[in-house]
């Protein structure tokens, strides 16, 4: 399959007009590049849901705080294009910042999803989810796909996008894809590249602790205790946890005792990386 690479909104709308004139359905996989097996699983899933697949690669400045890793976020366009040529992908959109924010970032129209934006990662990264909602709405408007595919690894982001789409009544289905993990359970993430060998060995604890939280919830233990001991376990393993919680799977609200489905979610700093992960408790 030949891969078309586009960089401007005009090129994109001309391409999509031609594609739509054939009657083909479209799935969009939004990414920030530095693609790994987790992203490729999203593309594979997208190809099962629509006739044509588009991937966007854009390191979105509005979702990074001033002290965060926007400048050092790994950018690997050649590798990404090589990886995308191995999966069923028709179109890659790699816009420069001016194409996505033509009036400049300070003047950019922003979108906000109250409730889901301020908790957990949103509490630690003020404004992060406004940036995510803003860029996702821009991408959905540009592509107008039938389906858009997101990883469950960013579970809070997935719920936020679902809420955005439901509240605005956008005609797109949001598909979540389970997290792809290394053999030892560490969730694949572009930020794993920041880990040295020692931190990489430590990082696997995040996944182990989340699974253990799930087992304890299913055994009927009290939420506060599970969460407290999860934080202790992460600290004892040399991680700096930000949160380790059990929340309702549907909306991240506090669950009633024994309620299901819930999700165990955690974020922790490991060496130079801030990692997040979550585990379903069905
Ligand atoms: O998950 C990501 O890679 C990003 O947050 C997204 C959805 C592409 C928006 O920039």
């Amino acid at each position: 399959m030949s891969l078309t690479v586009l960089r401007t909104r005009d090129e994109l709308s001309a391409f999509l007009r031609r594609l739509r004139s054939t009657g083909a359905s479209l799935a969009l996989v939004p990414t920030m590049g530095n693609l790994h097996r987790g992203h490729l699983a999203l593309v594979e899933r997208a190809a099962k849901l629509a006739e044509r697949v588009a991937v966007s690669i854009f390191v979105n400045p509005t979702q990074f705080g001033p002290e965060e890793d926007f400048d050092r976020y790994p950018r690997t366009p050649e590798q990404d294009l090589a990886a995308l040529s191995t999966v069923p992908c028709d179109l890659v959109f790699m816009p420069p910042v001016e194409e996505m924010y033509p009036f400049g970032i300070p003047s950019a129209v922003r979108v906000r999803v109250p409730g889901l934006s301020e908790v957990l990662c949103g509490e630690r990264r003020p404004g992060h989810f406004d940036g995510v909602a803003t860029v996702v709405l821009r991408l959905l408007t540009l592509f107008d796909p039938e389906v858009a595919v997101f990883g469950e690894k960013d579970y809070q982001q997935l719920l936020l996008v679902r809420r955005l789409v439901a509240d605005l009544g956008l005609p797109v289905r949001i598909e979540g894809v389970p997290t792809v993990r290394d053999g030892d359970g560490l969730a694949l993430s572009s930020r794993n590249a920041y880990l040295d060998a020692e931190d990489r060995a430590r990082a696997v604890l995040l996944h182990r602790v989340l699974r253990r939280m799930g087992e304890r919830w299913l055994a009927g233990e009290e939420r506060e205790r599970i969460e407290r001991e999860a934080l202790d376990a992460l600290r004892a393993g040399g991680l700096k946890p930000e949160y380790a919680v059990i929340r309702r799977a549907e909306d991240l609200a506090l669950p009633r005792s024994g309620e299901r489905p819930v999700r165990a979610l955690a974020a922790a700093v490991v060496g130079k990386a801030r990692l997040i992960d979550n585990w379903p408790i069905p």
Side-chain angles (χ1 to χ4, degrees):
M1 199 174 293
S2 76
L3 187 60
T4 302
V5 181
L6 302 175
R7 297 182 199 274
T8 70
R9 302 195 294 185
D10 286 348
E11 284 169 3
L12 179 65
S13 48
F15 182 92
L16 291 176
R17 253 196 317 276
R18 285 197 300 279
L19 186 145
R20 292 309 201 169
S21 70
T22 67
S25 57
L26 180 68
L28 171 66
V29 182
T31 80
M32 298 208 298
N34 192 235
L35 304 180
H36 49 64
R37 279 185 293 118
H39 295 110
L40 300 186
L42 304 183
V43 178
E44 300 278 4
R45 181 75 192 124
K48 296 209 160 59
L49 300 171
E51 287 151 300
R52 295 281 177 261
V53 176
V55 172
S56 62
I57 297 183
F58 179 63
V59 184
N60 171 36
T62 63
Q63 69 188 76
F64 290 81
E67 308 298 318
E68 292 184 356
D69 56 344
F70 176 70
D71 288 333
R72 68 183 174 119
Y73 194 85
R75 289 161 173 86
T76 52
E78 277 92 37
Q79 273 164 252
D80 293 347
L81 292 177
L84 288 173
S85 66
T86 67
V87 285
C89 174
D90 302 273
L91 163 65
V92 188
F93 183 51
M94 304 171 85
V97 172
E98 314 80 76
E99 282 293 319
M100 291 302 285
Y101 296 104
F103 292 91
I105 292 183
S107 319
V109 172
R110 310 249 172 170
V111 191
R112 176 122 216 283
V113 181
L116 283 168
S117 294
E118 305 88 13
V119 297
L120 305 182
C121 283
E123 201 180 331
R124 294 295 179 142
R125 305 183 67 189
H128 165 69
F129 286 116
D130 297 351
V132 171
T134 298
V135 80
V136 168
L137 182 59
R138 280 165 193 260
L139 290 167
L140 293 178
T141 311
L142 286 174
F143 283 84
D144 192 21
E146 274 78 10
V147 55
V149 183
F150 294 82
E152 285 185 0
K153 156 118 180 341
D154 296 291
Y155 190 73
Q156 188 172 359
Q157 167 174 283
L158 175 63
L159 292 189
L160 177 114
V161 171
R162 286 210 167 111
R163 175 76 61 82
L164 172 82
V165 161
D167 199 15
L168 296 181
L170 302 180
V172 58
R173 162 177 164 195
I174 301 301
E175 177 81 0
V177 173
T179 304
V180 178
R181 297 177 182 280
D182 268 340
D184 62 0
L186 180 70
L188 297 192
S189 162
S190 301
R191 291 190 168 98
N192 293 354
Y194 303 151
L195 298 169
D196 64 22
E198 244 171 64
D199 291 329
R200 169 65 188 78
R202 270 190 207 117
V204 69
L205 187 64
L206 195 58
H207 166 244
R208 294 207 181 119
V209 164
L210 286 165
R211 288 186 78 143
R212 182 79 192 113
M213 290 172 79
E215 284 159 13
R216 294 179 66 176
W217 180 260
L218 292 175
E221 288 191 45
E222 187 209 14
R223 181 180 56 78
E224 283 88 343
R225 182 162 177 202
I226 300 174
E227 294 180 354
R228 208 173 42 244
E229 292 181 6
L231 290 174
D232 291 345
L234 290 168
R235 282 190 200 104
L239 278 60
K240 293 191 192 115
E242 290 182 355
Y243 62 82
V245 297
I246 294 177
R247 292 289 180 270
R248 217 155 67 180
E250 185 195 335
D251 56 5
L252 301 182
L254 283 179
R256 291 186 313 278
S257 162
E259 183 175 349
R260 284 190 265 156
V262 292
R263 201 108 189 167
L265 305 110
V269 175
V270 192
K272 293 193 175 69
R274 177 185 182 276
L275 302 182
I276 58 171
D277 198 358
N278 63 86
W279 189 253
I281 309 172

